[in-house]
Amino acid sequence: MPKHDTPLLDELEKGPWPSFVTDLKRQAEKKPECFDILGQLELSYRDKVTHWKHGGIVGVFGYGGGIVGRYSDVPTQFPGVAHFHTVRLNQPSSMFYSSAKLRDICNLWEKYGSGMTNMHGSTGDLVLLGTTTPNLEPLFYDLTHDLNQDLGGSGSNLRTPSCCLGRARCEWGCYDTQNLCHSLTMHYQDEIHRPAFPYKFKMKFSGCPNDCVAAIARSDFAVIGTWRDDIRIDQAAVKGYLSGEFIPNAGAHSDKDWGKFDIKAEVLDLCPTGCMWMEGDTLKIDNSECTRCMHCLNVMPRALRPGLQQGATICVGAKAPILDGAQFATMTVPFIEVNPDTEFAEIIEVIEKIWDWWMEVGKNRERVGETIMRIGLPTFLKVMEITPTPQHVKEPRSNPYVFWQEDEVEGGWDRDVIAYRKRNAQ
Amino acid sequence: MPTIEHNGSSFTVDEDGFLTGNMDAWNETWVDYVKTVEGITEMTDEHHKVIEILRDYYKKNGIAPMVRILSKTTGFPLKRIYELFPSGPGKGACKMAGLPKPTGCV
Ligand code: HEM
Ligand code: HEM
Ligand code: SF4
Ligand code: SF4
């Protein structure tokens, strides 16, 4: 496959940021089909339309997802991308790799594919970009037999779960996000590989409310670490911040002169609930009013730590705009223990209650967040066997269109207008 | 569009091997052909039941049924459907039943 003229793309080799165009050109020396990737992309830059055909259904036997089929609509011009299927590999939790593993994957991908990848897809998968239908089964055979590596999810199923790096190297991890992510991924292999749901379903796991994997915005089932006792304060370290020995926010703002650290302006006055104060140079927190927003811990990581009674909050139903509008996840379980000793049975119970309900009442291509919107949070909490609490809402409803269950109302709904007329003549 | 020749019949298909055009092009020869490419060794009554239900549902409703409706009407759990059709209900059974290619964020 020859090199194509790419004057528009060549512009993108200028500037300091790593250029994908330069990388593709380098890869094309080994894998000439990369010239056709560049060629077709240049054509799209000129035409301002995509040159991929609609859809594509390919896969491997036994699985109903994992591979996204794709075909060029200009295959004679760019035969190297006539077939250009994408293979999703389930990444290790938090994406820690050994060079040996990556080398194995690269060697395999140079054998069966374009050599081009996406590290990683937004959902978390290691994405192998571009191969042909006949290569899929041999690639899958080598992946599973030699690399002990499985595909990720696609379609109306449980997509590949992902997590923040949590306790691997973060002092705020309120539970072992990697263990939970890995364990649930293994537990739900069937749901990942064989679509059985009304629509896609995603899980993400963050160790604390900073939510580094954006679980609250990008997963139907978000597990976000928190604690329920007191923030641990090291008063000596607080003095260290006051004296300037420690830099606020671990030096995150050192590129600009923000003046001397001012605990009142930068912490106390910014606490969303105003539950912090100083007595001399001793820091006080009224933990019963703290919403665990993370701000004070983020500013003074050496002085403040999450409490010791750690667990997580479960939020359900985040989704992108289609069809009914974008949603963040709704707080459903305020606090749950994340317990590896029970193999996370408590969390699995929550997941399966959601699935049992949604698989039954969810409409075709309806995300669980839309099902909750359509049927209502009260019904959702009822099927979840969760008692509604004030924490379930940001504010109470302002309209009075309140439904009552018949058994909640004395006398029920069966009323006799003749009896009524006896009391109120016409 | 490519064409597929099998036992004297010819079929117009897309890149993924799904029948294009209307459902009328479908016949037993097509079923026999898909069998050879979708990893099915022998056709059983269970295979035919799935195909029949898919075709009926599509004719009535103009869409393929959701997976759990297929399971409910056939009485086959998803596991059984994959045993019958290794590529699953979409790529395997719908293709064999002559339904259009599944779309969306697959
Ligand atoms: C048994 C007698 C009555 C019944 C069953 C009745 C019923 C209703 C209902 C169902 C509404 C709509 C409430 C809403 O959802 O916004 C309403 C609103 C209203 N009613 Fe009555 N009504 C009665 C007597 C009266 C009388 C005697 C007056 C005037 C002297 C009146 C004036 C109004 C007005 C002005 C509104 C509109 C309020 C608004 O701006 O929303 N109603 N009524
Ligand atoms: C000339 C006759 C009527 C007048 C002037 C009248 C006026 C109103 C007004 C002002 C409202 C409030 C609308 C709003 O929400 O802003 C209302 C609501 C309502 N009216 Fe009437 N109404 C009349 C006849 C009726 C009749 C005959 C019925 C029932 C058979 C009825 C049932 C209702 C109900 C149920 C609502 C509340 C609707 C809702 O949920 O918002 N009205 N009416
Ligand atoms: S979400 Fe919290 S625990 Fe996880 S990496 Fe980010 S700050 Fe650390
Ligand atoms: S975590 Fe947030 S709410 Fe709690 S004390 Fe710190 S700043 Fe205030």
Side-chain angles (χ1 to χ4, degrees):
Chain A
M1 268 149 270
K3 199 165 180 294
H4 308 277
D5 273 341
T6 53
L8 295 175
L9 287 173
D10 293 348
E11 288 295 311
L12 300 181
E13 293 196 86
K14 301 171 184 166
W17 294 96
S19 164
F20 74 94
V21 177
T22 308
D23 287 350
L24 265 166
K25 285 184 178 170
R26 200 163 55 190
Q27 181 67 13
E29 287 160 22
K30 251 193 206 165
K31 285 271 166 189
E33 56 260 51
C34 291
F35 285 132
D36 281 355
I37 302 174
L38 288 163
Q40 181 174 315
L41 185 61
E42 178 79 14
L43 186 64
S44 283
Y45 272 43
R46 256 192 290 134
D47 298 349
K48 300 193 167 79
V49 293
T50 181
H51 281 289
W52 300 114
K53 281 194 192 174
H54 178 75
I57 291 286
V58 295
V60 294
F61 287 147
Y63 289 4
I67 298 165
V68 181
R70 191 162 37 171
Y71 304 95
S72 171
D73 73 2
V74 279
T76 35
Q77 213 175 332
F78 305 109
V81 295
H83 287 210
F84 203 70
H85 311 323
T86 290
V87 182
R88 295 181 179 172
L89 304 192
N90 195 150
Q91 82 289 3
S93 287
S94 319
M95 304 167 187
F96 285 90
Y97 287 102
S98 66
S99 57
K101 177 81 178 189
L102 288 174
R103 201 171 297 118
D104 284 349
I105 291 172
C106 289
N107 287 340
L108 196 67
W109 191 231
E110 287 204 330
K111 184 170 167 199
Y112 291 114
S114 72
M116 190 167 71
T117 67
N118 174 0
M119 302 288 278
H120 293 73
S122 303
T123 300
D125 300 278
L126 192 170
V127 180
L128 305 176
L129 288 171
T131 188
T132 61
T133 308
N135 275 347
L136 294 176
E137 288 286 356
L139 168 72
F140 183 59
Y141 187 94
D142 288 3
L143 261 182
T144 47
H145 288 72
D146 301 341
L147 269 61
N148 196 23
Q149 166 71 51
D150 206 340
L151 299 183
S154 71
S156 289
N157 60 350
L158 175 59
R159 300 294 181 87
T160 310
S162 64
C163 60
C164 78
L165 49 75
R167 286 180 178 169
R169 51 175 306 167
C170 177
E171 63 265 49
W172 294 318
C174 290
Y175 70 93
D176 186 341
T177 52
Q178 298 178 307
N179 189 2
L180 182 61
C181 183
H182 180 77
S183 303
L184 292 182
T185 302
M186 298 310 279
H187 187 79
Y188 288 125
Q189 283 293 294
D190 224 34
E191 285 75 6
I192 292 175
H193 295 309
R194 283 169 282 277
F197 294 168
Y199 203 10
K200 64 177 89 160
F201 190 95
K202 299 181 182 177
M203 294 180 182
K204 292 202 187 316
F205 309 95
S206 276
C208 82
N210 284 332
D211 197 5
C212 292
V213 76
I216 199 153
R218 304 191 302 147
S219 62
D220 301 83
F221 187 81
V223 182
I224 300 173
T226 189
W227 63 96
R228 57 175 170 188
D229 52 349
D230 293 351
I231 292 175
R232 285 173 284 167
I233 309 177
D234 176 346
Q235 297 292 355
V238 172
K239 291 183 183 72
Y241 280 101
L242 294 174
S243 72
E245 183 191 345
F246 303 138
I247 313 168
N249 290 89
H253 308 296
S254 345
D255 57 336
K256 196 173 165 198
D257 184 7
W258 292 92
K260 189 176 172 304
F261 176 58
D262 176 349
I263 194 165
K264 182 169 171 346
E266 293 176 42
V267 183
L268 308 189
D269 290 354
L270 293 182
C271 169
T273 64
C275 70
M276 313 179 80
W277 69 99
M278 296 296 289
E279 289 179 7
D281 52 9
T282 303
L283 177 64
K284 298 280 187 182
I285 301 176
D286 177 359
N287 283 278
S288 64
E289 292 297 325
C290 163
T291 56
R292 281 98 179 133
C293 77
M294 293 300 292
H295 176 70
C296 59
L297 290 84
N298 288 341
V299 178
M300 302 195 290
R302 301 180 76 125
L304 301 176
R305 301 165 71 193
L308 287 167
Q309 279 179 40
Q310 301 185 339
T313 301
I314 295 176
C315 303
V316 182
K319 59 176 282 288
I322 290 171
L323 292 168
D324 281 346
Q327 283 188 42
F328 267 25
T330 296
M331 203 293 296
T332 303
V333 183
F335 190 88
I336 192 164
E337 263 176 65
V338 183
N339 189 354
D341 298 337
T342 61
E343 289 170 343
F344 310 111
E346 300 78 5
I347 289 172
I348 286 174
E349 200 187 321
V350 178
I351 294 169
E352 298 196 350
K353 275 185 198 156
I354 299 175
W355 284 354
D356 286 348
W357 177 70
W358 178 57
M359 283 174 74
E360 202 48 48
V361 308
K363 292 189 182 176
N364 198 13
R365 298 256 166 91
E366 182 179 64
R367 291 289 282 270
V368 71
E370 287 163 337
T371 312
I372 295 172
M373 238 205 301
R374 177 168 59 85
I375 298 184
L377 187 62
T379 307
F380 177 62
L381 292 180
K382 195 165 287 171
V383 300
M384 297 300 292
E385 298 175 273
I386 292 171
T387 312
T389 61
Q391 287 79 9
H392 282 116
V393 293
K394 180 161 176 272
E395 60 189 352
R397 67 194 306 150
S398 53
N399 73 57
Y401 305 138
V402 179
F403 286 88
W404 299 88
Q405 296 296 316
E406 187 171 2
D407 57 11
E408 292 168 332
V409 178
E410 207 184 324
W413 298 156
D414 268 340
R415 302 294 169 111
D416 179 8
V417 74
I418 305 201
Y420 173 80
R421 283 288 168 235
K422 280 184 188 144
R423 283 178 277 122
N424 303 280
Q426 219 152 0
Chain B
M1 289 288 169
T3 14
I4 281 172
E5 305 287 337
H6 188 73
N7 288 352
S9 298
S10 84
F11 301 96
T12 316
V13 298
D14 65 13
E15 296 89 347
D16 293 319
F18 280 75
L19 277 180
T20 54
N22 62 30
M23 304 251 304
D24 300 340
W26 179 89
N27 57 31
E28 281 305 321
T29 315
W30 173 253
V31 172
D32 189 65
Y33 161 71
V34 175
K35 190 185 107 178
T36 63
V37 292
E38 288 300 332
I40 297 161
T41 38
E42 204 179 329
M43 290 295 289
T44 65
D45 289 351
E46 288 178 313
H47 288 98
H48 289 296
K49 184 173 176 186
V50 172
I51 290 170
E52 205 174 299
I53 284 172
L54 283 173
R55 289 185 62 82
D56 280 354
Y57 191 96
Y58 189 84
K59 279 182 207 155
K60 243 179 250 159
N61 303 292
I63 53 166
M66 283 197 274
V67 168
R68 70 175 187 286
I69 292 173
L70 183 64
S71 281
K72 259 189 194 159
T73 32
T74 55
F76 303 145
L78 190 57
K79 186 167 176 291
R80 183 74 195 134
I81 293 176
Y82 272 90
E83 283 162 8
L84 297 168
F85 300 94
S87 303
K91 180 169 174 278
C94 284
K95 181 190 279 183
M96 191 178 253
L99 268 54
K101 178 155 75 184
T103 56
C105 184
V106 290

